[in-house]
Amino acid sequence: MLSKTLFERMYKSTSIVVLTGAGVSAESGIPTFRGPDGLWKNHKPEELASPSGFAKDSALVWEWYNWRRDVIRKAKPNLAHYALVDMESRIEEFTLITQNVDNLHFEAGSQNVHELHGNIFNVKCTSCGFKADNYAVSNNAPKCPDCGNLLRPDVVWFGEELNPAVLAKAQEASATCELFFIIGTSALVHPAASFPSIAKANGCFLVEINTEDTPLTPQANEVIRGKASEWLPKITILYDKITGKS
Ligand code: OAD
């Protein structure tokens, strides 16, 4: 299932980009958005992770975020996260772009991580400029300590712009890398899902690791059908054997 070409590409590549989605954290016990456990109380993610959802029922949205914060707080990085730390230490230019807001790549030890959709433990005020990282929330209507208005999670919701600096970094890394791994994402949410196409247009080799087909599968040069936590460690171990690097 793992081709010789993949390892030749890895050996020759000085720049690798990895795009991760919720599938990478699935085996840490964090439900994916569109998998069998994806619906929370029958709500689609778009109904909750959106300005219109928050305007309609902010307490419901906070209830969902507080539940996810609890699940994530108890979760630990899995072998997929750690294999990406190993990969980073062996590659000259390594960029990890994640759609995940769970902090697990940082917790595992990855360094050059760009959180496209923000971080679930950060908050900002809906009214003044207050922002705080790693902020404790104890109810479904948390108030800003500066102005008393409602706080919201400092994550990117559907219909909102990504942080321009993070977006620029992701686009630039995608346009210049030699090898691109798309891991555990349904590739339905843009702009994240468009980065592999930017890479491919510049001659990059695309590898997809996913338990299922996605809209990007036809573009991939290599498709690895299975769990990220099983295949990523195999890739790094074989890479070390072939290259003698470790
Ligand atoms: P999704 O839930 O849409 O997709 C998860 C993907 O992971 C699916 O393609 C699964 O087949 C795959 N998968 C599941 N378990 C896996 C495993 N163990 N190994 C490998 N693959 C596995 O999650 P995302 O693509 O991350 O945005 O969703 C993108 C964005 O939509 C999220 O960042 C979030 C969401 O709504 C916002 O909230 C703005």
Side-chain angles (χ1 to χ4, degrees):
M1 211 160 168
L2 295 172
S3 76
K4 193 166 159 248
T5 322
L6 168 63
F7 291 102
E8 280 170 2
R9 284 282 178 155
M10 273 185 85
Y11 184 61
K12 284 191 206 139
S13 299
T14 50
S15 58
I16 293 186
V17 169
V18 175
L19 171 68
T20 63
V24 165
S25 296
E27 280 146 278
S28 294
I30 302 172
T32 60
F33 294 97
R34 295 171 184 83
D37 306 321
L39 289 185
W40 178 80
K41 295 194 177 177
N42 271 333
H43 295 285
K44 288 187 191 159
E46 291 83 351
E47 290 165 22
L48 299 164
S50 63
S52 56
F54 194 69
K56 195 169 151 204
D57 194 343
S58 61
L60 180 77
V61 173
W62 262 117
E63 191 187 341
W64 183 54
Y65 274 95
N66 281 329
W67 171 76
R68 288 176 59 208
R69 277 173 158 232
D70 279 350
V71 171
I72 289 169
R73 209 173 281 116
K74 289 177 198 137
K76 295 271 169 278
N78 65 56
L79 292 178
H81 297 103
Y82 289 117
L84 290 173
V85 178
D86 287 345
M87 203 187 274
E88 180 168 21
S89 69
R90 286 151 179 73
I91 304 293
E92 219 173 287
E93 260 180 67
F94 180 90
T95 307
L96 179 43
I97 306 168
T98 188
Q99 298 165 90
N100 299 344
V101 293
D102 58 27
N103 210 42
L104 290 184
H105 286 302
F106 281 119
E107 220 180 285
S110 285
Q111 293 186 12
N112 193 21
V113 183
H114 301 278
E115 292 176 312
L116 277 184
H117 295 163
N119 187 301
I120 198 167
F121 297 110
N122 300 347
V123 296
K124 63 181 177 186
C125 181
T126 54
S127 183
C128 72
F130 176 82
K131 276 178 176 244
D133 292 353
N134 208 8
Y135 193 85
V137 170
S138 56
N139 59 55
N140 297 331
K143 297 289 186 295
C144 174
D146 285 357
C147 73
N149 282 303
L150 192 60
L151 291 173
R152 58 160 276 184
D154 191 5
V155 295
V156 179
W157 281 337
F158 287 95
E160 293 184 327
E161 299 285 315
L162 300 189
N163 175 321
V166 175
L167 177 62
K169 190 77 210 160
Q171 283 170 331
E172 186 196 323
S174 303
T176 52
C177 68
E178 294 159 87
L179 183 57
F180 195 117
F181 286 93
I182 312 155
I183 311 174
T185 175
S186 59
L188 293 170
V189 176
H190 288 265
S194 60
F195 300 145
S197 310
I198 297 176
K200 183 102 195 238
N202 287 292
C204 179
F205 190 83
L206 295 188
V207 183
E208 179 177 72
I209 306 178
N210 199 306
T211 47
E212 292 172 8
D213 276 3
T214 77
L216 290 176
T217 305
Q219 281 194 58
N221 298 92
E222 177 135 352
V223 176
I224 300 170
R225 222 9 102 247
K227 292 181 176 175
S229 63
E230 284 173 19
W231 286 98
L232 276 169
K234 281 185 195 164
I235 290 171
T236 46
I237 289 165
L238 280 171
Y239 176 76
D240 284 351
K241 274 197 180 156
I242 292 164
T243 61
K245 290 189 189 180
S246 65

